[in-house]
Amino acid sequence: MEKYATVMGVKFPKMTLDRTIEVLTDVIEEKRSELFHVITVNPEIVIACQKDTSLRSIVDEAGLITADGIGIVMVSRLRGGNLPERVTGYDTLLRLLDSGNQKRWSFYFLGADPITNEKVCEVIRKKYPDLSILGRHHGFFKQTEEDKIIEEIGDLKPDILVVALGAPFAERWIHNNKSKLNAKIAIGVGGSLDVIAGKVKETPESWKRLNLEWLFRLIQQPSRWKRQLILPKFAIRALTFREK
Ligand code: UDP
C-alpha cells in the first residue's frame, strides 16, 4: 500500500497519532545531531504552500508532517489517499507530555502571552511532575530579544521545544533557527498552550468525534470566522486539484 497521501501536492504520511508518537519517541531516544521539525499541516498551510515557495520548502524539509484537520483527512479519502485520522498539534502535544512524564523528557515552552506562558508551565508541572521544564518564554518578544531566547534554548538543549507563536510563523521561526536551537524535536502547536492553560476552552470529545472541532472553535472565538472561510475554499480547490 502507498505510504503517503498527496493533498494539493503536499505529501502526508499515512500515520495515526499512536504511530506519530512512536516515531517521535524513537527520535528522542536516538542520538541525532539535527533538529527534527514536526509540522502539523492544516488547510491554511496547504493553501499557502501553493504560492509561497519558501513555506513549501519548509514543509518539504520537515522531519515529519501530520494531517492537522478533518478537511485534509476527508479530501484524502475522497481522492483515494485514505489518511487514517487527524493528527493535530494539540493531541500530539498532550501525548508528548504524557510520554515525557513517563520517560522524563525535557521541554522548553516558547509562545503565548506572558500570563498564559507562566500559567501553562504551572499546570503542566502539576499534571506531569516527572517531566522537566528547562525553560520558557512568552511569544511577544521584540526582535532585539530574539537572539537571547535562541541562545538560551540552545544552551538548555531540551528534548522537545514547543513553539506556540501561531502558524506559519512558528514553522518559519523553527526552520530559520534550526541549527542553533539544539533541541531534538521542535513542534509548532498553534493555540494549544492557551487551551492547556485554560484561557481558551478545550473542544469536548463529543464535538471532536463528530468532526465539528472547527465549529466549536468558531463559537468560542467568533473572530476566527474570516480564517475559517479558508475551509470551503480548501475543499473545492483540493478536490479539483490535479495531483502530479
Ligand atoms: N502568539 C504569540 N506571539 C505572537 C502571536 C501569537 O505567542 O506574536 C501566540 C498566541 O498567544 C497563541 C498562539 O500564538 O497562543 C496562536 O494561536 P492560534 O490559535 O491563532 O494558532 P494558529 O492556529 O494560528 O497556529
Side-chain angles (χ1 to χ4, degrees):
M1 203 178 47
E2 184 60 63
K3 283 192 180 133
Y4 294 90
T6 308
V7 176
M8 295 186 83
V10 178
K11 249 174 97 183
F12 289 90
K14 292 185 182 175
M15 271 165 49
T16 58
L17 177 59
D18 282 349
R19 179 71 193 128
T20 302
I21 300 303
E22 276 172 24
V23 168
L24 298 183
T25 302
D26 287 348
V27 169
I28 291 182
E29 287 169 0
E30 278 167 15
K31 293 205 166 28
R32 279 175 188 253
S33 53
E34 235 199 44
L35 179 145
F36 191 86
H37 186 185
V38 183
I39 306 186
T40 66
V41 176
N42 61 16
E44 271 174 287
I45 297 186
V46 173
I47 294 277
C49 278
Q50 306 307 307
K51 285 205 180 127
D52 185 336
T53 50
S54 78
L55 184 60
R56 179 63 201 260
S57 45
I58 292 172
V59 168
D60 288 345
E61 283 170 36
L64 180 68
I65 68 164
T66 73
D68 187 353
I70 192 60
I72 293 183
V73 173
M74 275 172 148
V75 165
S76 83
R77 291 191 180 157
L78 289 168
R79 306 216 45 182
N82 289 330
L83 287 169
E85 64 181 352
R86 279 179 327 151
V87 179
T88 65
Y90 180 68
D91 292 337
T92 307
L93 176 59
L94 289 189
R95 293 282 301 270
L96 288 175
L97 291 172
D98 207 43
S99 301
N101 196 43
Q102 288 170 34
K103 297 175 192 281
R104 297 175 181 269
W105 293 340
S106 62
F107 290 74
Y108 188 104
F109 294 94
L110 174 66
D113 67 72
I115 294 172
T116 305
N117 182 274
E118 188 179 350
K119 178 84 197 293
V120 82
C121 291
E122 226 173 82
V123 170
I124 291 172
R125 260 194 205 105
K126 272 206 193 114
K127 193 155 180 220
Y128 307 95
D130 294 328
L131 58 75
S132 63
I133 300 182
L134 297 181
R136 61 176 185 85
H137 201 287
H138 65 78
F140 292 85
F141 48 84
K142 296 192 200 91
Q143 189 74 41
T144 49
E145 297 167 310
E146 190 171 300
D147 285 349
K148 243 184 101 208
I149 297 170
I150 295 169
E151 205 180 302
E152 178 180 81
I153 299 170
D155 289 344
L156 291 168
K157 304 187 176 62
D159 290 322
I160 302 182
L161 169 63
V162 177
V163 183
L165 296 173
F169 181 77
E171 285 62 36
R172 292 189 207 281
W173 195 89
I174 293 170
H175 183 84
N176 293 342
N177 300 304
K178 211 172 169 177
S179 61
K180 295 179 253 166
L181 293 167
N182 289 334
K184 290 184 182 154
I185 290 175
I187 177 168
V189 296
S192 303
L193 301 189
D194 296 354
V195 178
I196 297 174
K199 181 181 169 189
V200 172
K201 253 201 198 158
E202 183 181 358
T203 311
E205 266 314 310
S206 51
W207 290 64
K208 282 193 194 171
R209 242 178 288 123
L210 293 168
N211 292 322
L212 290 175
E213 181 149 23
W214 60 273
L215 180 60
F216 185 81
R217 292 185 80 181
L218 187 60
I219 296 167
Q220 297 301 314
Q221 297 169 276
S223 57
R224 295 180 75 95
W225 74 270
K226 262 199 190 145
R227 285 183 55 182
Q228 291 203 342
L229 286 179
I230 196 100
L231 295 174
K233 182 175 161 196
F234 164 75
I236 293 165
R237 285 190 59 187
L239 287 172
T240 52
F241 189 83
R242 289 176 67 150
E243 304 287 355
K244 279 187 206 129

